[in-house]
């Protein structure tokens, strides 16, 4: 069974631009969560989508948004990029919603550099 | 408030030595889950273990073992007979039952296994 895939793996953008990251969960998984990892803040939860609905959201500004499609694939969008948005963005999938109920499986991440 | 502390930022040991990674957590909930994840240089988070707050039995999986002590709010991870492939960043995480299943990660411990 294929794992979680994220595209692109690496991305370079400039301040003010917007970016869209994609995540394809493990086949059959309906929950997708997004995390931001930076050296300073560590791993932080962004949001979770389940059955095309945002179920949970972390403490990030409205510039960070996401969506989930009927095939459970998810996209994350960051608008008006700032230097501080440079990070590794990790996607995780699970069968059902919530870390309590199911183990989350992580993708390799998208490394975003904002210049 | 929920919090996970991994006091050891970086550890180096010689191959075949045993090493213990410390994790201390804070929570007001009686029902919660604790996790350990491994992040190798490739960046992908690998799930190692999930333990609920009602199960204090220690667990052993091959060279890995976990010691969960509610009395000290600790969930320590020991690698026995370490190998170079164990070199990675290890994250301890907490999820509370009443917090919409969000996961809070510690800052991680970078483990170097020297040949």
């Amino acid at each position: 069974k294929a794992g979680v895939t994220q595209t692109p793996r690496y991305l370079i953008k400039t301040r003010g631009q917007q970016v869209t990251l994609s995540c394809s969960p493990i086949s059959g998984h309906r929950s997708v969560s997004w995390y931001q990892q930076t050296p300073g803040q560590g791993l932080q939860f962004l949001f979770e989508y389940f059955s095309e609905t945002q179920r949970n959201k972390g403490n990030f500004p409205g510039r960070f948004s996401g969506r989930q499609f009927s095939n459970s694939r998810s996209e994350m969008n960051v608008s008006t990029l700032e230097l501080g948005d440079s990070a590794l963005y990790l996607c995780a999938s699970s069968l059902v919603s919530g870390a309590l109920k199911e183990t989350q499986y992580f993708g390799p991440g998208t490394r975003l550099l904002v210049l | 408030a929920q919090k996970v502390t991994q006091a050891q930022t970086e550890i180096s040991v010689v191959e075949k030595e045993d090493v213990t990674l410390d994790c201390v957590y804070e929570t007001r909930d009686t029902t919660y889950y604790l996790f350990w994840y491994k992040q190798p240089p490739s960046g992908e988070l690998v799930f190692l273990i999930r333990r609920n707050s009602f199960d204090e039995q220690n667990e052993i999986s091959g060279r890995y073992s976990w010691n969960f002590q509610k009395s000290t709010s600790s969930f320590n991870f020991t690698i026995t007979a370490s190998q170079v492939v164990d070199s990675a960043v290890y994250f301890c995480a907490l999820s509370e039952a009443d917090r919409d299943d969000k996961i809070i990660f510690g800052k991680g411990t970078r483990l170097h296994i020297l040949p």
Side-chain angles (χ1 to χ4, degrees):
Chain A
K1 190 184 264 193
V4 179
T5 58
Q6 291 186 247
T7 56
R9 292 293 311 280
Y10 302 93
L11 204 50
I12 299 176
K13 292 285 188 178
T14 57
R15 278 181 300 175
Q17 286 187 311
Q18 76 162 17
V19 66
T20 299
L21 312 181
S22 180
C23 171
S24 293
I26 291 172
S27 178
H29 284 195
R30 295 167 58 196
S31 170
V32 174
S33 297
W34 288 90
Y35 296 84
Q36 181 197 63
Q37 185 177 22
T38 60
Q41 298 299 317
L43 268 162
Q44 292 184 288
F45 172 78
L46 278 157
F47 31 63
E48 179 196 6
Y49 284 86
F50 179 72
S51 293
E52 302 178 64
T53 302
Q54 186 180 85
R55 187 179 175 277
N56 285 305
K57 192 176 191 306
N59 298 322
F60 279 82
R63 300 185 297 107
F64 291 82
S65 63
R67 59 177 175 168
Q68 187 179 34
F69 302 95
S70 58
N71 62 358
S72 294
R73 188 177 71 85
S74 176
E75 286 183 347
M76 190 193 96
N77 185 275
V78 188
S79 62
T80 321
L81 284 166
E82 300 177 0
L83 295 179
D85 297 333
S86 295
L88 178 67
Y89 289 89
L90 291 163
C91 164
S93 79
S94 58
L95 271 172
V96 294
S97 179
L100 297 185
K101 302 174 185 64
E102 289 290 337
T103 299
Q104 290 189 322
Y105 296 89
F106 283 79
T110 293
R111 192 167 293 279
L112 171 65
L113 176 61
V114 181
L115 301 175
Chain B
Q2 52 178 174
K3 185 180 177 182
V4 176
T5 302
Q6 294 180 255
Q8 304 149 308
T9 305
E10 203 158 342
I11 300 176
S12 293
V13 299
V14 177
E15 196 174 17
K16 296 183 184 177
E17 287 186 351
D18 298 347
V19 58
T20 296
L21 308 183
D22 298 332
C23 173
V24 174
Y25 61 92
E26 292 178 27
T27 177
R28 293 177 184 167
D29 279 19
T30 56
T31 303
Y32 53 89
Y33 286 74
L34 295 164
F35 305 80
W36 275 96
Y37 284 89
K38 172 183 179 180
Q39 188 176 41
S42 61
E44 184 173 337
L45 276 170
V46 178
F47 168 82
L48 295 177
I49 190 172
R50 177 180 63 181
R51 177 55 52 89
N52 75 58
S53 53
F54 298 107
D55 182 4
E56 285 194 73
Q57 276 193 332
N58 292 330
E59 182 156 340
I60 298 175
S61 176
R63 296 183 297 106
Y64 296 170
S65 63
W66 290 269
N67 184 290
F68 177 26
Q69 293 196 342
K70 288 178 75 170
S71 60
T72 56
S73 296
S74 65
F75 186 43
N76 297 336
F77 171 34
T78 297
I79 301 175
T80 304
S82 60
Q83 299 176 2
V84 173
V85 294
D86 296 327
S87 297
V89 181
Y90 290 85
F91 291 94
C92 180
L94 164 72
S95 186
E96 295 172 333
D98 295 334
R99 298 274 179 179
D100 296 326
D101 301 344
K102 295 176 188 177
I103 294 182
I104 300 298
F105 286 87
K107 294 291 189 184
T109 296
R110 184 174 297 276
L111 177 62
H112 300 278
I113 307 298
L114 308 173

